[in-house]
Amino acid sequence: MITLIIASGLLALAAGKPCGSDHKALLQSLNQQLLRSVDTPDTLPNPSVHIALRLSTHHNLAKESQHLNHLKTEFHDDIEKSLRNGELVVGRLALYILALKSSCHDLQSVHLNHNEMKEPLLTHLKKEMEEEKQNIAFSHRPKTNYYQYSLGILALCVSGVRVSTHVSHKLIHAVEHRQIKHGESLCVDTHAMAGMALQCLKNEETAVKDTAELDRALASIKQRLLDSKRADGHMGNEFSTGLAVQALLAMGSQMEECASALEALRADVKKGTYHNPMAVSQVLPALHQQSYLHLKSKECRNEDDSLTIDADSASEVLPSHGQVSLQVEVIKSDGASSVFSINVPKGSSLFEALNLLQDKLTGFTFSTESSLWGPFLSVVNEEQARQTDRRYWQVSSGGTSLTQGINDYKIDSAQSITIKNTEY
Ligand code: B12
């Protein structure tokens, strides 16, 4: 008997199965990190964080229910505000719907007030998806992006709403014609989201224009995700691997196919790579071997309620000593370049460094827009890089594009940052 137990333990290890107390402790620390993030005052509740908490094994039901209420008030109001400004809210609305679904909330009872009309959330999402579909028909891309378009399909599908064959076909077509990019390169995150959306349609046997074409798109996505695997196990980068694993699991991959990616995620967690709650929220379901498709059958019954916030576990940030020199080059849309120099405290975020540079009145100015990932650099030296013009301020250091935003990227050594108005 004992030999049998040892043998099955060894087998599990060989297959790369995450098991044991180390893995449990890792999950618990991420869960607690997310739970702490929902308590941060002055930040908008984040539906992606809610989904991750709800897809976890251990819960703090009181905090989760409080967070759901915040989403239904503050996040809901923020969506209505965007609608009043004439913005499309596809991605945020889809995440909001998935968050409500994750808490088994009755979706028909929640309405959006828009143009003096009261519409159920799903009805409004359906309308925006139609608008996006028209935009793809005329300009070959959605007004938002294919990541949000995929989220829209996923939210409708998971909520049991029929997705029109025209809407799904536009995504299938984009996958087949390699139109899914992040800046210049193939976007692993968007392929992952598209994979989950299309897999949901397949599982639900939703009518599509051409079943063989759907199968081909799913096979291409799976292959591209597997091809994106780096030598260190990541798929794409540290911030796309969680979604890639979720998608592969949803598409029926065996655990062995994801083992090295899961190992890379665990190593990242130990290194402290994921401090942005949005990043944690995309990684945690994968570590629980769950995907957004699990929301379809979520029942919210007999849930564990043992998760607590460990009072001492908040990591202490030690002040660092010394200054480092920073060079900031701004390249505007017409190619004109200007260079600024400043010394900043070692370990400052790029956001803090840019603020110091702005305060020095050297002629450098900037402003940001808030997003679920934090501040998004939108205006530099009075020039706006607009989503409507398909432009953004791309940030790189020493010629390498940053994999984090200005608030998360830390200046640990002297370097040269380039902020370039780029078309995408
Ligand atoms: C599409 C996309 C873009 C588009 C956004 C515009 C558009 N309409 O398509 C473009 C190409 C402009 C872009 C730019 C960047 N991106 Co981007 N992007 C995404 C992607 C694929 C989807 C975002 C989305 O629509 N979410 C859905 C909606 C509901 O959420 P949202 O918060 O409202 O969405 C807005 C923000 O996410 C914002 N945004 C997009 N990227 C980033 C990055 C940061 C750091 C911030 C603060 C905001 C932000 O644009 C979205 C649309 O308005 C995500 C993938 C992912 N896993 O989330 C990566 C992702 C968020 N991006 C990332 C990065 C690194 C960047 C850049 C910093 C790259 C660079 N070196 O310049 C820049 C941002 C620089 C800046 N100006 O501040 C990383 C962030 C990782 C991290 N730890 O912070 C991600 C996770 C991709 C990855 N795996 O590396 N991005």
Side-chain angles (χ1 to χ4, degrees):
M1 182 63 183
I2 290 179
T3 349
L4 204 73
I5 294 171
I6 296 173
S8 57
L10 286 174
L11 267 176
L13 274 178
K17 277 194 185 139
C19 53
S21 57
D22 184 34
H23 185 69
K24 280 193 189 141
L26 214 84
L27 292 179
Q28 189 185 337
S29 78
L30 283 185
N31 259 137
Q32 291 182 326
Q33 198 179 326
L34 276 192
L35 214 51
R36 269 195 298 276
S37 79
V38 308
D39 269 344
T40 321
D42 302 329
T43 50
L44 211 56
N46 183 331
S48 181
V49 165
H50 193 77
I51 298 168
L53 286 171
R54 298 293 306 147
L55 284 177
S56 296
T57 315
H58 297 292
H59 299 275
N60 182 319
L61 297 174
K63 285 234 178 293
E64 286 171 12
S65 136
Q66 204 181 33
H67 192 235
L68 185 70
N69 285 334
H70 286 308
L71 283 169
K72 284 172 58 193
T73 48
E74 293 146 51
F75 192 77
H76 189 108
D77 287 352
D78 196 62
I79 288 188
E80 286 183 343
K81 190 169 129 209
S82 299
L83 290 176
R84 283 195 296 278
N85 293 336
E87 293 164 30
L88 282 187
V89 292
V90 180
R92 280 184 298 146
L93 179 55
L95 283 176
Y96 180 34
I97 289 171
L98 291 172
L100 292 170
K101 185 90 181 94
S102 73
S103 279
C104 304
H105 195 285
D106 172 21
L107 287 169
Q108 290 305 327
S109 68
V110 189
H111 295 81
L112 282 176
N113 281 311
H114 175 47
N115 285 343
E116 288 167 25
M117 268 188 342
K118 225 173 138 197
E119 271 176 342
L121 300 181
L122 289 163
T123 310
H124 188 81
L125 180 59
K126 251 194 129 162
K127 279 190 187 165
E128 289 211 2
M129 290 301 285
E130 284 297 313
E131 205 177 325
E132 285 288 53
K133 183 200 77 187
Q134 296 295 354
N135 207 76
I136 300 174
F138 289 118
S139 17
H140 307 290
R141 57 213 308 186
K143 274 191 188 156
T144 60
N145 53 52
Y146 278 113
Y147 183 93
Q148 298 197 29
Y149 192 73
S150 304
L151 262 176
I153 293 181
L154 184 66
L156 291 174
C157 176
V158 160
S159 312
V161 175
R162 199 184 65 82
V163 176
S164 99
T165 53
H166 298 284
V167 167
S168 55
H169 184 255
K170 293 276 181 281
L171 181 60
I172 295 170
H173 185 270
V175 171
E176 290 222 297
H177 291 80
R178 294 185 168 268
Q179 284 160 358
I180 295 182
K181 301 215 166 103
H182 184 240
E184 289 296 288
S185 46
L186 190 99
C187 187
V188 171
D189 314 61
T190 306
H191 273 87
M193 204 50 88
M196 286 190 264
L198 295 179
Q199 187 65 47
C200 183
L201 298 182
K202 188 170 168 63
N203 295 354
E204 294 311 301
E205 296 176 7
T206 310
V208 288
K209 268 198 174 162
D210 179 345
T211 324
E213 201 184 24
L214 171 64
D215 289 340
R216 271 202 310 276
L218 280 167
S220 303
I221 292 174
K222 189 170 176 188
Q223 197 52 52
R224 284 178 209 165
L225 291 178
L226 292 172
D227 289 348
S228 75
K229 196 181 278 182
R230 307 189 313 206
D232 63 5
H234 288 105
M235 295 185 180
N237 64 21
E238 292 84 334
F239 303 102
S240 47
T241 306
L243 289 179
V245 169
Q246 278 201 50
L248 286 174
L249 294 176
M251 290 191 284
S253 276
Q254 296 305 306
M255 274 308 292
E256 292 85 270
E257 255 178 328
C258 304
S260 58
L262 280 167
E263 205 40 65
L265 289 179
R266 281 194 286 274
D268 289 329
V269 176
K270 287 181 195 154
K271 266 190 277 172
T273 306
Y274 305 122
H275 40 86
N276 186 320
M278 192 62 182
V280 179
S281 76
Q282 297 185 344
V283 162
L284 192 56
L287 287 170
H288 274 105
Q289 292 164 45
Q290 296 273 308
S291 84
Y292 294 151
L293 292 202
H294 283 98
L295 298 174
K296 174 91 203 166
S297 51
K298 191 110 178 64
E299 285 194 329
C300 311
R301 267 186 297 186
N302 303 327
E303 291 181 320
D304 156 279
D305 193 10
S306 65
L307 187 67
T308 50
I309 305 183
D310 179 353
D312 296 322
S313 62
S315 63
E316 196 191 332
V317 182
L318 296 169
S320 58
H321 298 290
Q323 299 265 314
V324 286
S325 68
L326 184 70
Q327 205 177 54
V328 177
E329 181 182 19
V330 177
I331 306 177
K332 288 196 165 179
S333 54
D334 62 1
S337 145
S338 30
V339 180
F340 306 86
S341 297
I342 188 170
N343 288 330
V344 298
K346 190 169 184 257
S348 317
S349 70
L350 180 54
F351 185 55
E352 288 163 338
L354 296 181
N355 266 316
L356 288 173
L357 188 57
Q358 177 162 259
D359 293 347
K360 260 182 64 182
L361 305 176
T362 50
F364 175 84
T365 60
F366 77 105
S367 55
T368 59
E369 279 166 23
S370 53
S371 77
L372 296 176
W373 278 95
F376 179 78
L377 189 57
S378 53
V379 184
V380 179
N381 291 351
E382 282 158 25
E383 183 170 276
Q384 185 162 25
R386 263 195 265 246
Q387 192 177 318
T388 42
D389 303 333
R390 301 282 155 192
R391 302 194 73 88
Y392 76 109
W393 288 106
Q394 193 210 20
V395 193
S396 42
S397 172
T400 306
S401 189
L402 299 190
T403 56
Q404 288 181 298
I406 54 172
N407 201 35
D408 290 340
Y409 183 74
K410 301 283 181 287
I411 314 286
D412 289 322
S413 58
Q415 58 195 284
S416 171
I417 294 283
T418 306
I419 303 177
K420 185 176 178 193
N421 190 327
T422 310
E423 199 179 355
Y424 67 91

